[in-house]
Amino acid sequence: MMRHDLLSMDFEELSAFIAALELPKYRAAQMFEWFHRHTASFDANFFKQMNNLPKSLIRTLEETCITSYCTTTEIKSSASSETKKYLFALSDGVLIESVQMNYSFGDSVCISTQAGCKMGCSFCASGAGGFIRNLTAGEMLAQVHTVRKNILGKLSGIVLMGCGEPLDNFEQTIKFLKIIADPKSLGISMRSITLSTCGLVPEIRKLADMCLKINLAISLHAPNDRLRKAIMPIANVYSIRELMDVCRYYTERTARRITFEYALIAGTNDQPSHAHELIKLLSGMLCHVNLIPINSIAEEDTIKRSDLQHFAKILNKNHIPTTIRRTIGADINAACGQLRARPWGSGATRNA
C-alpha cells in the first residue's frame, strides 16, 4: 500500500486528505500547524508527538502515512561559531548535508534539494559521488525545521544552494517554496529565499512565468562558452547566449534582479580579459555579480584561489555592481561547493 507523505502536502492537499477520511475540516489546520510551527523531531516517532490529535487518528496516520524523516547524525561547528554543518539521514538511509549560517541580522539555513548531483561541475564536491535521488518537498522542509530548533534568534533566510540542482527537481522545489511561504506554515517571505541554479534554461523560463519573488542566483563562472564548457558540463546543453536570453526574460517577467555567481579560479577564469568579456555579456541587464572565493575539494586539489579584489574593481568601475562573498565554514567543509551526500568519516573531504 502506498503511504501518504504528509509533510510534502500543501494545505489544500492536506485538507483534501482529511476530507477523504471524513474528518472535520479543522483537523487539517491542526495538523498543518503542528508540522510547520512546532519543534517536533522528524523521526519514526513523529506521529506519537502530535498531542493535539485524538489517539484514534494518530493510529490511522501511523498505518497509512509517512512523514519525511530527517534524523540528525552529526553536527560540526566552525571555529568562528558562524557556521554549523548538519549531516542528516533520511528515512531510507540516504545522507544529505545542510548548513546553518549566523549573521548579525539572523540565521539562514542552506538546504539540499537532491542527494548528490547530476551536473558534474569540476569545482563542486556535491556531484563527485554521482546522483542518488531527488528529495521530496517534505525532506527539504524537514531540514529547515530541524535546523530551526537550534536557532536561538530569528530564521532570516533560506538558501537552496546545498547538494543538488534545485531546478532539476522542479516540482518538489516549487512545492517546498509554496509550503514554506504559506502564512499557515512558517510564512517565510519569498524575498528571503535564494535559489541557485547552474542554468537549466527551460526551467528558468517556467520559473519566470510563475513570477515568484525569490532571489534567483545563476552559477555562471565563465564569460564564454569555451571556458564554461571546460568547467561546467551544463554548458554543453545550453549556450551562454541561450542562458542570457532566458535571464533577460526572467528579469522582464519578474522585475527581480538576478545574481550571477562567479567563482574565481586562478589561471582559469580570472584574467582582466575575462572581466571585460563579462562586462560586455551583462551590460544593461538587471543584475549584479557575486564573486566567490573558490574552495578546494579532494577531487580537484589543483584548484587555487585568485585575486577577487582586482577582478571586482574592474567590474565595478565598468558599472557592473559586484560584491565578494564572505567565506564562512570552510574549516568544516561547509562553504560553497563543499557539501556532499556521504559519511563524514569517509575521508572524502578536506579543509580549504
Side-chain angles (χ1 to χ4, degrees):
M1 180 182 69
M2 182 175 175
R3 289 176 173 258
H4 303 277
D5 180 3
L6 294 183
L7 197 61
S8 292
M9 291 183 182
D10 60 29
F11 185 72
E12 289 71 25
E13 291 170 328
L14 186 60
S15 297
F17 172 74
I18 289 298
L21 293 177
E22 299 182 345
L23 293 169
K25 291 182 179 180
Y26 69 83
R27 291 297 186 200
Q30 281 183 312
M31 292 170 63
F32 199 73
E33 180 181 352
W34 180 272
F35 295 160
H36 302 294
R37 294 190 179 179
H38 286 260
T39 53
S41 297
F42 290 89
D43 56 28
N45 295 314
F46 179 81
F47 295 116
K48 288 184 172 64
Q49 302 171 64
M50 299 177 68
N51 56 20
N52 64 341
L53 298 180
K55 291 183 179 180
S56 58
L57 177 53
I58 290 175
R59 283 195 296 271
T60 298
L61 297 179
E62 289 178 323
E63 292 169 359
T64 62
C65 302
I66 60 170
T67 189
S68 300
Y69 300 167
C70 186
T71 305
T72 304
T73 300
E74 193 171 350
I75 301 175
K76 283 185 178 179
S77 295
S78 66
S80 65
S81 300
E82 293 177 314
T83 308
K84 287 183 180 179
K85 183 170 73 168
Y86 295 75
L87 181 66
F88 291 128
L90 304 179
S91 57
D92 57 0
V94 168
L95 299 176
I96 57 171
E97 293 182 336
S98 302
V99 178
Q100 174 187 344
M101 300 166 289
N102 177 257
Y103 299 102
S104 59
F105 51 82
D107 284 19
S108 294
V109 55
C110 175
I111 68 166
S112 295
T113 54
Q114 297 178 315
C117 185
K118 301 175 187 176
M119 299 300 117
C121 299
S122 64
F123 49 84
C124 182
S126 296
F131 174 74
I132 301 172
R133 68 170 175 85
N134 285 327
L135 301 191
T136 65
E139 288 168 334
M140 298 178 210
L141 287 157
Q143 294 172 67
V144 174
H145 292 321
T146 304
V147 173
R148 186 171 61 92
K149 291 192 299 181
N150 294 314
I151 292 176
L152 298 178
K154 177 184 177 183
L155 176 59
S156 62
I158 297 171
V159 183
L160 281 69
M161 288 187 186
C163 287
E165 163 56 60
L167 297 187
D168 186 45
N169 187 12
F170 190 86
E171 289 186 6
Q172 292 300 309
T173 295
I174 296 302
K175 180 174 277 193
F176 162 79
L177 293 174
K178 290 184 174 180
I179 295 174
I180 205 76
D182 190 324
K184 296 181 290 297
S185 175
L186 288 186
I188 299 291
S189 169
M190 289 279 188
R191 296 177 186 274
S192 298
I193 300 173
T194 299
L195 184 153
S196 178
T197 174
C198 67
L200 276 63
V201 168
E203 285 73 20
I204 294 172
R205 183 171 292 274
K206 286 166 62 177
L207 191 64
D209 289 336
M210 297 179 75
C211 291
L212 303 177
K213 297 299 183 182
I214 61 169
N215 302 303
L216 180 64
I218 305 290
S219 292
L220 186 59
H221 306 307
N224 60 62
D225 284 320
R226 178 191 59 78
L227 186 53
R228 198 164 189 259
K229 285 178 181 179
I231 59 177
M232 300 182 70
I234 193 66
N236 293 292
V237 182
Y238 305 113
S239 69
I240 280 198
R241 180 176 178 179
E242 291 174 293
L243 181 57
M244 292 301 107
D245 284 347
V246 80
C247 285
R248 289 187 172 88
Y249 178 77
Y250 182 90
T251 60
E252 290 167 3
R253 289 284 288 141
T254 66
R256 301 284 293 166
R257 183 179 71 167
I258 290 177
T259 296
F260 287 101
E261 299 169 317
Y262 197 103
L264 278 181
I265 306 171
T268 301
N269 63 353
D270 63 335
Q271 299 303 302
S273 60
H274 297 136
H276 287 289
E277 277 190 90
L278 190 59
I279 291 162
K280 185 177 180 180
L281 187 68
L282 302 182
S283 180
M285 188 181 295
L286 182 61
C287 70
H288 90 285
V289 174
N290 189 216
L291 297 180
I292 302 172
I294 197 73
N295 294 295
S296 296
I297 61 172
E299 293 79 7
E300 290 288 345
D301 59 3
T302 60
I303 289 178
K304 304 297 181 185
R305 288 185 178 177
S306 186
D307 182 357
L308 281 75
Q309 296 290 346
H310 181 62
F311 203 89
K313 185 176 180 180
I314 296 174
L315 296 180
N316 279 314
K317 185 178 179 180
N318 286 272
H319 312 295
I320 302 295
T322 303
T323 55
I324 295 175
R325 181 176 296 177
R326 183 176 65 142
T327 299
I328 57 174
D331 61 325
I332 54 171
N333 292 303
C336 181
Q338 293 185 316
L339 298 191
R340 298 175 180 264
R342 64 177 65 176
W344 289 348
S346 67
T349 61
R350 64 181 178 84
N351 292 342

